Amino acid sequence: MLLVAEEPEGVLGYALMTVVPLLSTNGPSAQLQEIVVDQKARGRDLGTALVRAVEAECERRGVTQLTVASRRAGGFYDRLGFHESAEYMRRLFA
């Protein structure tokens, strides 16, 4: 799912979320894959509005958990009620 924040002048930001059914969460699970707000539009609470819109869509779809993998913006997500729960492993492919 792609949510876009825009004005007549153009796109100000977006949030990209995926939803998949997982046995471990006993229902659909969502991951906020990416959230971006144009540097010129920052400070207008667009990031917060995008996350709240993602949360509303999660509730509408019966999602049991929403995760985001982000260390750089931890304070932002803390303020929105997220909490750190685990590390993750990854493997990069060239």
Side-chain angles (χ1 to χ4, degrees):
M1 183 183 89
L2 180 67
L3 295 170
V4 179
E6 59 185 328
E7 289 182 338
E9 302 82 44
V11 173
L12 301 176
Y14 68 88
L16 176 65
M17 174 186 72
T18 57
V19 178
V20 296
L22 295 178
L23 292 175
S24 63
T25 61
N26 203 22
S29 178
Q31 182 168 19
L32 182 54
Q33 300 288 338
E34 188 171 44
I35 184 168
V36 176
V37 174
D38 186 282
Q39 191 169 359
K40 294 175 283 190
R42 292 183 186 162
R44 297 171 47 184
D45 291 329
L46 291 174
T48 298
L50 285 166
V51 171
R52 295 301 186 217
V54 164
E55 291 172 336
E57 184 63 20
C58 286
E59 289 180 5
R60 188 184 77 73
R61 293 178 182 225
V63 166
T64 57
Q65 76 171 6
L66 171 61
T67 61
V68 58
S70 177
R71 288 206 172 271
R72 295 181 300 183
F76 170 73
Y77 291 109
D78 286 341
R79 288 190 300 279
L80 296 177
F82 287 72
H83 65 278
E84 190 173 336
S85 64
E87 295 285 330
Y88 68 94
M89 303 292 290
R90 73 177 180 170
R91 180 174 177 196
L92 300 176
F93 296 94

